Every structure is written in structure tokens, then in C-alpha cells.
Amino acid sequence: MIPFTRPFLPPEADYQRYINDMFKRQWLTNHGPLVQSFEQHLKTFLEIEHCHFVANGTLALQLAFKALALEGEVITTPFSFVATLNALLWEDLSPVFVDIDPQTLTLDPARIEAAITPATSAILATHIYGHPCDVEAIEAIARRHDLKVIYDGAHAFGSNHLGRSLLDYGDISITSFHATKLFHTIEGGALFTRSAELGERIASLRAFGQTGGAGINAKGSEAHAAMGLALWPWLEHILASRADIAGIYDRWIDRRGLPVSRPGLVSGADVNHAYYPILLRSEAQLESVMHYLAERDIHPRRYFYPALSRVEAVSGIAPAMPVAEDIASRVLCLPNFVAMTGEDAEQVMRHLEDALLLETA
């Protein structure tokens, strides 16, 4: 079987050493030495001064909204994981969808200003698949209208734009360290900001707001930070392995002229290959290809489907988003994980090619 993804784990003994130290200290949570060490690793690697490890990426979004004191409407993308939308709804913020660019699949800056109203407080954009949004255009719009910018970088750890981490853009950026992500802490997430004031506010909010204001318990534990630290020596290997698989897919599609397309990238993007999305001609073709691959025990994933403008939570409220809804109906992410071999990747492509030929015959 070739699954969509498989978590990468460090040698068990490496993880156990951190856990043994935790047992000796009996310091399990509340910003212990493992969390502090993991945060320092993140700061150094990403070159971002203020980093806060939390329990998951959804809480990271909610903390970002609270730290920025957002209210009213937030302009956002209809093409993201449902957690992006849910975090807004849980904080009683009104999502205002703006359609996506049909090439990059990220929030289309050309459509943003038409959606701004006196109630708009922020722009929330997602670096989909670890591919950068048009950050320059988005932040120029935000400056003109005095809006805050939050980037959902759940996929973006290890991606850069113009030599700078994607998590170093906006007022606050967040990422996810869920077990399905390229780099993980089993469960976890983090917030990043250049602002010392926002950094202090986030630190307070994640620990019940003890230094002022109503907070929540969003702390990451020592056991979760231990996984991040045990995986850290493997980070370059993880990135290189995924890039290798993506390279095999790229070469096969290009050399064989497969009738699929791939998202475009903004100039200056250096991506982490967290996912490998392809676009089929139609939803019917996508379903046919998935069925063919599943019969051969290959399991790509519809990611993301449906578009957020179609989910039940905003049913009857959100307007149609034709680009996002079309893309969501025919985008398919191929398997890519560290344990995949070149032979696995070639097997995926052979069967994908067969499925495409069969479907068009």
C-alpha cells in the first residue's frame, strides 16, 4: 500500500532520552526546558525573534486573533482546511471570503479591496500546500486600509520567500506541527511575530492570561516538544526526501506529457514540498483516477474538498466562490512522505498515467 502520507518518526531511543529527562525532572508542562529548547531551535532556524509553541495550529490561529484584538469581519480564503474557518467562527469573527488566484490557488489580492468594508479588521491568508501567497500585494493592501495580516502557515514550515521564512510575514504567522505535517510534534503548533509587544501578549494568552486579560490554556507540553527535538537532526533529511519525490513526479509529468496541471508559484518562492497537488480536467476525471489508483492500493487525497464556501457552517451565508469551488472539485494531492522510495513514486506515476489514458480512451 502507498498511503497519502505517513508520519516520520525519529529512532525510538532518541525520543526516549528526552522523555527520560522529563521523568527525572518531573516537569511535564508549563513552559519547561524542552519547550524552551524547542522554541529556541525554531527561532534560530527561522530567524524570527518571537516564537511561541502551543498545543495545536487551530489554537494558534485563535490566539493570533485574540492577540490582535480582532473584531467584526476578516477577509479570508475559501480554499484552506476547515480549521481556518472554524477558528474565525469560534472567536465570533465574520469570515468574508475572497476568491483565489486560479494559478497559485492562494488568496487573490486583486479581489481583496472590493471586499473591504468599515467592519473589516484583518486579512487572513493561507500559504496553501506551503506555497507562498502574494505577500507583498496583501501587505500593501493592509497598509493602505490599516488592517492586520495573519498568515495561516499550517503547511509553511520550511518554505521561504525571497530567502526569508514564510512564517516571518504578516503581523502574526502560525504553523501546525500535527503528526501529518512535514515536521511534527505529534500535536502542536506555533505563532511567530516580529513584535515584542505581540509576543508578550501571546505568551500571556496561551497561559490563561495570567499577566492581564482573559486567556486560555494553549500550552504545548514537554512530551510534545520532545518529539520536535528528537526529530530536529532529521529536518534536512525530511526536506530533501520530499523534494526528491516531488522531483520524480515533476520529471515524469513533464517527460511523458501527462494531461494534468500543477499550481503556479509566485516569483521568489522556495517551497518545502509538503504536498504534491495536481489538477485534473474535471471532478468526474478525478473520481475515475482515484478509483483506479485505489484498486491498486495507492491512496492520494482530495485536499482541500469541499471549498470552505460550501461547508455547512456557512451554508446559505457565503456567496459562491467559482474559482475555489472549481479547483476544490478537481485537485488531487499525490502521496509524498519520507519513507517513500523512488520506486514507490514511479509506481504512483505509472498507474496515474494508465488511469489518465484509460479515462480518455
Side-chain angles (χ1 to χ4, degrees):
M1 183 183 73
I2 302 178
F4 172 61
T5 192
R6 184 178 293 154
F8 179 73
L9 292 170
E12 187 175 348
D14 292 356
Y15 181 60
Q16 194 60 50
R17 276 195 291 273
Y18 287 105
I19 297 301
N20 290 344
D21 288 345
M22 182 188 75
F23 268 72
K24 291 174 184 175
R25 282 189 296 269
Q26 298 185 18
W27 190 347
L28 308 182
T29 187
N30 290 341
H31 205 56
L34 297 182
V35 167
Q36 293 176 48
S37 177
F38 183 54
E39 288 181 339
Q40 188 57 54
H41 278 69
L42 293 171
K43 292 175 188 178
T44 301
F45 176 69
L46 299 171
E47 298 182 350
I48 304 174
E49 186 173 356
H50 304 287
C51 161
H52 302 275
F53 179 57
V54 294
N56 58 63
T58 305
L59 278 170
L61 281 172
Q62 292 176 255
L63 287 174
F65 305 155
K66 287 293 190 186
L68 293 167
L70 301 188
E71 49 187 29
E73 297 174 354
V74 175
I75 289 172
T76 193
T77 174
F79 191 62
S80 186
F81 187 57
V82 71
T84 309
L85 172 62
N86 287 346
L88 289 167
L89 297 175
W90 269 67
E91 296 302 326
D92 291 324
L93 295 165
S94 298
V96 175
F97 290 127
V98 165
D99 217 341
I100 60 174
D101 181 286
Q103 300 303 315
T104 66
L105 314 187
T106 59
L107 190 66
D108 188 348
R111 302 173 186 261
I112 291 175
E113 287 187 285
I116 295 173
T117 74
T120 306
S121 61
I123 300 169
L124 169 61
T126 299
H127 298 303
I128 203 75
Y129 308 128
H131 298 182
C133 299
D134 188 342
V135 291
E136 289 86 4
I138 289 171
E139 295 185 16
I141 292 167
R143 286 193 297 271
R144 283 199 297 272
H145 296 273
D146 194 26
L147 301 176
K148 302 299 184 184
V149 177
I150 307 101
Y151 288 111
D152 183 340
H155 299 170
F157 181 74
S159 286
N160 297 301
H161 178 60
L162 297 175
R164 178 177 158 198
S165 170
L166 275 188
L167 301 173
D168 194 28
Y169 288 87
D171 293 283
I172 297 175
S173 287
I174 72 95
T175 198
S176 170
F177 293 124
H178 185 265
T180 57
K181 297 299 187 289
L182 174 149
F183 182 88
H184 71 91
T185 58
I186 306 173
E187 287 278 3
L191 299 90
F192 304 90
T193 181
R194 288 185 161 195
S195 165
E197 180 182 354
L198 281 175
E200 290 177 5
R201 198 173 302 160
I202 292 165
S204 174
L205 288 169
R206 76 169 169 183
F208 303 100
Q210 294 183 34
T211 59
I216 195 170
N217 182 6
K219 302 185 300 293
S221 79
E222 291 289 273
H224 291 92
M227 179 59 74
L229 291 169
L231 281 172
W232 198 266
W234 296 89
L235 177 56
E236 294 303 323
H237 172 68
I238 292 167
L239 292 167
S241 297
R242 287 182 176 255
D244 288 346
I245 298 300
I248 292 171
Y249 288 161
D250 280 339
R251 290 189 293 275
W252 193 292
I253 290 171
D254 293 338
R255 291 173 182 171
R256 305 287 291 181
L258 299 193
V260 299
S261 60
R262 288 154 287 179
L265 295 172
V266 297
S267 178
D270 178 15
V271 301
N272 58 11
H273 305 288
Y275 300 92
Y276 195 92
I278 59 171
L279 291 161
L280 284 301
R281 186 181 66 251
S282 66
E283 185 168 23
Q285 186 187 42
L286 177 146
E287 291 172 346
S288 173
V289 166
M290 287 192 71
H291 179 72
Y292 187 92
L293 294 177
E295 286 185 331
R296 286 144 187 86
D297 226 2
I298 297 170
H299 302 279
R301 181 178 173 188
R302 300 187 74 172
Y303 199 59
F304 300 99
Y305 178 80
L308 296 181
S309 51
R310 291 286 188 91
V311 302
E312 186 176 349
V314 292
S315 176
I317 301 172
M321 294 284 125
V323 179
E325 290 167 17
D326 170 58
I327 294 297
S329 74
R330 56 190 182 91
V331 67
L332 188 66
C333 284
L334 301 182
N336 192 353
F337 51 92
V338 174
M340 274 190 80
T341 64
E343 290 77 11
D344 290 334
E346 290 175 357
Q347 181 181 345
V348 170
M349 297 313 290
R350 278 195 301 272
H351 289 306
L352 174 63
E353 183 172 1
D354 290 344
L356 292 167
L357 290 172
L358 183 67
E359 199 275 337
T360 56

